[in-house]
Amino acid sequence: PGDQFPVDAEVLSGASAADESSLTGESVMVDKNVGDKVFGGTLNGWGSLELSVLCPSSESALARIIRLIR
C-alpha cells in the first residue's frame, strides 16, 4: 500500500483501491478487484494485489500521454 504501480497490469488476485488522479484527475480512489486493470504511475491505496503485466512500460497509458504532450 502506498507504492506506485510500475506498469499497466491486470489484477489476478487481491483487492485494493488505486489513486488514479495523476492520469484522470479523479479525486476519489477507484476500487480494484480481480480482472480490473491498474495503470503504471498510479498509487496503490490499501491492499495487496497480484498482477499480470499487460504491456512494457514504454507502452503504458502514462507513457502514451507523455508522448502526446511532447
Side-chain angles (χ1 to χ4, degrees):
D3 285 342
Q4 217 175 40
F5 294 112
V7 294
D8 291 358
E10 182 177 348
V11 178
L12 297 178
S13 66
S16 186
D19 178 353
E20 298 179 347
S21 61
S22 61
L23 291 179
T24 65
E26 179 73 31
S27 62
V28 177
M29 294 185 84
V30 179
D31 290 335
K32 298 295 178 178
N33 295 296
V34 174
D36 292 338
K37 292 181 182 176
V38 297
F39 301 104
T42 61
L43 298 174
N44 183 18
W46 50 265
S48 177
L49 301 172
E50 183 176 335
L51 304 171
S52 173
V53 175
L54 296 174
C55 62
S57 60
S58 62
E59 296 301 318
S60 70
L62 183 58
R64 289 192 308 263
I65 291 170
I66 291 169
R67 275 196 304 273
L68 287 171
I69 292 171
R70 286 184 184 166

